[in-house]
Amino acid sequence: MNEESPKAVFYALAANFGIAVCKYGAAAFTGSGSMFAEAIHSTADCGNQLLLLFGLKRAQRPANALHPLGSGREIYFYSLVVALLLFFVGGAFSVYEGLHRMVHHEPLTSPLVALVILGVSVVLEAFSLAGALREIRKSAPNKTLWRWFRETRESELLVVAGEDVAALAGLAIAFCAVLMTMITGNPVYDAAGSIGVGVLLMVVAYVVAREVKSMIVGESASPEVRKAIDAHLRARPEILGIISLITLQWGRHVVVAVQAEMIDYASGRAMIDAINVIEEDLQTVFPEVRWVFFEPDIARDRAQPANML
């Protein structure tokens, strides 16, 4: 797991705060529905980043009797809350605002100001997205962005990247809507832009929430980590074969459960010592592996009926 991902959250918080201030000023000055929707979106994003930082802090709490594996997965809960807020506060409100303005045909004043503010917002949002992409490349230098999105276990970085992509696309929609309103003098384009921004946010929020829900249910370590752990264990001279290997992502850490057939040892104590060496070496090679549960066993013919095993 990338220990630097909170940097992306701070980048996004700083960028969205500056963007929100600019957008509110422009919305008040121009009366633009698209601009006001974008301002609400940026405000929601600021709150979302604060929630993610709070979740990251909570996830660092040590293990106790009630939570013997610690609170690492708590960040998944806060990431899901952020996705829901993005859907309802950002998306649904923007759609409502657009429909309201479409019905009442509220005029747009000083659209040029709105276009300038949207341009500034694009620059600031691009800064935030660039920070998120840098952190993504550190943990997945050879993956496409879509593959990383489907395979990552860093929910906070996934949320920030999703927000930033949605924000840039939303700014493009708002820019086009304000520009069409300025050219034609028809405020319906501005209202339609607000609706478009809202629909976009709801779609992104749904996709992000679906990925985070999978993490909450319980996902294995990323495919490359699991494959590397499997190869490492199979290369151990003490192990004849791997019967079962389960990995579980637990926040920034990984739980590993191994069932393996061992070579013959003169005593049970000798086998226990060998298992301890295997576990220590595994945690040295893979620092993210916090817990290892190792069970020596004998491989069985799983094609036989259960009563013959």
Side-chain angles (χ1 to χ4, degrees), residues 119-141:
V120 172
S121 298
V122 167
V123 174
L124 292 175
E125 202 65 65
F127 163 79
S128 175
L129 180 58
L133 290 176
R134 280 197 298 270
E135 304 310 321
I136 291 171
R137 289 301 170 218
K138 288 180 183 179
S139 60

Side-chain angles (χ1 to χ4, degrees), residues 249-279:
Q249 194 70 48
W250 201 272
R252 295 188 175 279
H253 302 292
V254 176
V255 182
V256 176
V258 185
Q259 188 181 38
E261 185 172 6
M262 305 287 290
I263 63 174
D264 291 331
Y265 284 92
S267 66
R269 178 56 186 267
M271 180 177 289
I272 292 173
D273 290 341
I275 290 174
N276 287 336
V277 170
I278 293 171
E279 292 178 345

Side-chain angles (χ1 to χ4, degrees), residues 101-286:
R101 290 178 177 270
M102 186 169 288
V103 170
H104 293 85
H105 293 281
E106 297 182 12
L108 176 64
T109 59
S110 303
L112 187 60
V113 174
L115 292 176
V116 171
I117 295 300
L118 286 171
V120 172
S121 298
V122 167
V123 174
L124 292 175
E125 202 65 65
F127 163 79
S128 175
L129 180 58
L133 290 176
R134 280 197 298 270
E135 304 310 321
I136 291 171
R137 289 301 170 218
K138 288 180 183 179
S139 60
N142 299 317
K143 291 183 179 180
T144 63
L145 187 59
W146 177 247
R147 183 184 169 195
W148 170 86
F149 182 83
R150 295 306 308 273
E151 295 181 357
T152 184
R153 306 303 189 255
E154 296 176 271
S155 62
E156 71 282 2
L157 191 52
L158 181 147
V159 170
V160 169
E163 282 184 343
D164 288 344
V165 170
L168 279 174
L171 287 168
I173 293 173
F175 188 93
C176 292
V178 173
L179 183 62
M180 288 300 297
T181 299
M182 183 176 70
I183 293 173
T184 65
N186 188 348
V188 170
Y189 288 106
D190 181 56
S194 180
I195 296 172
V197 170
V199 171
L200 172 68
L201 292 178
M202 287 192 287
V203 170
V204 171
Y206 168 77
V207 174
V208 170
R210 185 182 62 183
E211 294 297 321
V212 175
K213 182 209 72 172
S214 181
M215 297 180 197
I216 291 175
V217 172
E219 289 188 342
S220 68
S222 61
E224 62 270 18
V225 171
R226 190 188 186 284
K227 184 177 179 180
I229 290 174
D230 182 77
H232 175 83
L233 291 172
R234 291 183 185 278
R236 297 291 309 190
E238 305 94 335
I239 296 177
L240 288 177
I242 300 296
I243 301 172
S244 174
L245 172 63
I246 296 174
T247 64
L248 178 63
Q249 194 70 48
W250 201 272
R252 295 188 175 279
H253 302 292
V254 176
V255 182
V256 176
V258 185
Q259 188 181 38
E261 185 172 6
M262 305 287 290
I263 63 174
D264 291 331
Y265 284 92
S267 66
R269 178 56 186 267
M271 180 177 289
I272 292 173
D273 290 341
I275 290 174
N276 287 336
V277 170
I278 293 171
E279 292 178 345
E280 291 173 3
D281 184 60
L282 181 66
Q283 291 174 312
T284 299
V285 176
F286 301 93

Side-chain angles (χ1 to χ4, degrees), residues 7-30:
K7 285 185 179 180
V9 183
F10 282 113
Y11 291 147
L13 178 59
N16 281 305
F17 179 77
I19 291 170
V21 171
C22 294
K23 286 178 180 177
Y24 275 119
F29 187 77
T30 63

Side-chain angles (χ1 to χ4, degrees), residues 243 261 297-302:
I243 301 172
E261 185 172 6
D297 203 346
I298 298 175
R300 300 177 178 87
D301 183 359
R302 302 193 182 277

